[in-house]
Amino acid sequence: MPPLVKQDIEARAASRDVLRRSDTSDRSAQVAATHARTLVALDIDGTLVDSGGRIPSGTVEALDLVRAAGHKIVLASGRSLAGLLPIATRLGLTTGWAVCSNGALTVRLDPAAPSGHDVVEARSFDPAPVIRRALDVGPGMRVAVEDVGRGWLTSGGFEPGELNGQQKAVPVDSLMAQPSTRIALTAPGIRRYTDTLRAAGATVTPQGANWLDVTAPGVNKASALEAVRVHLDVPVDRTVAVGDGVNDLDMLAWAGRSVAMGQAPAVVRSAADQTTGTIEQAGVIPVLASMVPVVSRGLSPLAAQLATAERTAPGPVVLRVWHGTGPYLARCEAGTIQDGRWVGHGPIASGVGTTMRAIETAALEAELPYPRGIEGRRRAQWRSVAGEGPAGFELPLSGL
């Protein structure tokens, strides 16, 4: 499969420059064709985070631009919920959708929720048949059952870094006592028993020669992502997936455009439409860059996000902001006015925690018109928004 190379990116950039120079009367149709909303499913480990837990430089900024362009980022990980949430926060993804535990859990990230998320769907199964069979084939088997949102119940013997979240050792009978979303099984050479354990009625995914992940029948990243796609009303061909593991194979087959990381095993790279750079090369960044228009170099992150939203929205951009404590903004989102009502396009991540003066500076930096008025008076083109924070309002940033 051909890798993403410089020529590919330059070709996409050239096509976007044609769009930028086009007559504004054709803008909506051209934007819909070139920058239509896309669901972007991203694996975490080996894709967004390296083996040392580091996020490659530039990744968060690239994610912010993709979201400002109106696309929907969905984390799709083999991690448990307890392992996914801290990484989502570090990536700046505190709102939106996420799939974890290899598709067993689908959550809605929401900073207003008590735990920062709501579990939308948990696909559980009876773990007893699989655990019994695993213990029969591997007497030294270590077993862990996911304890959603907290960590794992284990048969003992796991090192602190082997599982995400807290661990609590319990008798094996307790591990089989109630439905579970996911089981982890580890023993020397356990991979050779994959088919035997599948016969117990479960989805079994190898994570190496000595580790198997087990979920309910038919559950994988792709099945969970498909439900999210339907909910978001994203067309099948407007889906992108990036991953590096065997547990990503179903997701890559599901996506309209699939990309394997450069360090992925041959079976994963051969299953993808394209191969990008390795995690050490921040290979996900050119994939994300291919989904947004090229904006002027040297812009601040806030100005780049405003410019990206203005270039990709299906109409003149209206910024909607809400104040938090004092002059600082608690939310900032770009949208358009359609049929007399505001329709969200994408979040402006760098606007959160800043001030309206910073918004004005960034808008002018991006060469966007900014509604001004007489000093000390509310700008005539600002419209108040009620019910979503201490104070909110809309202001147009294009088409003035």
Side-chain angles (χ1 to χ4, degrees):
M1 298 296 170
L4 288 172
V5 295
K6 181 179 179 181
Q7 290 89 336
D8 298 327
I9 298 170
E10 290 176 345
R12 292 190 181 102
S15 69
R16 294 188 189 97
D17 286 339
V18 171
L19 172 61
R20 181 169 55 196
R21 294 190 297 268
S22 298
D23 187 86
T24 55
S25 63
D26 296 328
R27 168 179 174 152
S28 295
Q30 291 168 332
V31 167
T34 308
H35 298 297
R37 174 173 292 178
T38 299
L39 188 160
V40 188
L42 300 174
D43 174 48
I44 292 179
D45 294 290
T47 300
L48 296 171
V49 178
D50 68 18
S51 58
R54 296 175 293 268
I55 298 171
S57 176
T59 301
V60 174
E61 292 81 0
L63 290 169
D64 288 344
L65 288 176
V66 168
R67 293 194 296 151
H71 303 308
K72 298 296 185 181
I73 299 289
V74 181
L75 295 177
S77 178
R79 285 178 173 238
S80 65
L81 179 58
L84 178 140
L85 292 174
I87 292 295
T89 299
R90 289 174 58 197
L91 291 167
L93 302 176
T94 57
T95 61
W97 294 80
V99 169
C100 48
S101 299
N102 284 326
L105 282 174
T106 300
V107 299
R108 183 77 180 266
L109 302 172
D110 181 1
S115 299
H117 70 277
D118 292 312
V119 176
V120 176
E121 187 172 5
R123 305 160 186 85
S124 58
F125 68 109
D126 180 4
V130 176
I131 292 175
R132 290 194 186 99
R133 186 163 296 189
L135 294 174
D136 286 342
V137 299
M141 188 75 60
R142 292 180 295 157
V143 182
V145 173
E146 186 172 15
D147 186 11
V148 175
R150 288 179 288 272
W152 298 81
L153 303 176
T154 77
S155 61
F158 287 87
E159 296 297 324
E162 285 189 282
L163 297 166
N164 300 128
Q166 301 176 358
Q167 297 182 31
K168 181 181 179 181
V170 300
V172 172
D173 288 347
S174 297
L175 298 177
M176 299 187 288
Q178 57 188 3
S180 172
T181 51
R182 177 184 168 200
I183 306 169
L185 302 171
T186 178
I190 191 177
R191 184 171 187 160
R192 64 181 181 273
Y193 298 116
T194 299
D195 291 339
T196 299
L197 296 175
R198 284 175 179 161
T203 299
V204 181
T205 305
Q207 298 285 60
N210 303 326
W211 191 291
L212 298 176
D213 275 349
V214 184
T215 54
V219 167
N220 52 53
K221 292 184 182 184
S223 62
L225 287 167
E226 176 62 13
V228 174
R229 182 196 69 78
V230 171
H231 177 83
L232 294 176
D233 194 26
V234 174
V236 174
D237 62 347
R238 299 300 306 181
T239 54
V240 175
V242 188
D244 75 315
V246 173
N247 63 333
D248 295 316
L249 287 172
D250 291 299
M251 177 177 76
L252 295 175
W254 162 84
R257 175 190 175 194
S258 58
V259 184
M261 296 295 289
Q263 81 281 357
V267 65
V268 176
R269 286 183 278 114
S270 65
D273 299 322
Q274 297 168 298
T275 297
T276 187
T278 66
I279 181 64
E280 289 77 16
Q281 298 167 328
V284 74
I285 291 180
V287 182
L288 298 174
S290 72
M291 303 182 63
V292 298
V294 176
V295 297
S296 299
R297 294 189 177 187
L299 291 179
S300 66
L302 179 53
Q305 290 162 36
L306 292 175
T308 296
E310 198 276 335
R311 291 275 303 281
T312 57
V317 166
V318 175
L319 199 66
R320 183 176 264 196
V321 298
W322 292 265
H323 279 294
T325 303
Y328 301 106
L329 301 180
R331 289 178 58 194
C332 185
E333 187 172 357
T336 59
I337 302 298
Q338 299 178 19
D339 298 325
R341 66 186 184 91
W342 187 86
V343 177
H345 179 63
I348 306 299
S350 292
V352 177
T354 190
T355 64
M356 287 308 302
R357 177 58 60 87
I359 295 289
E360 178 178 3
T361 299
L364 296 176
E365 180 188 354
E367 300 182 346
L368 299 177
Y370 188 87
R372 296 169 178 266
I374 299 173
E375 185 69 26
R377 298 180 57 190
R378 179 179 294 277
R379 274 85 164 160
Q381 297 180 79
W382 294 10
R383 188 171 75 87
S384 295
V385 177
E388 295 193 59
F393 48 89
E394 297 168 357
L395 63 156
L397 288 185
S398 60
L400 295 174

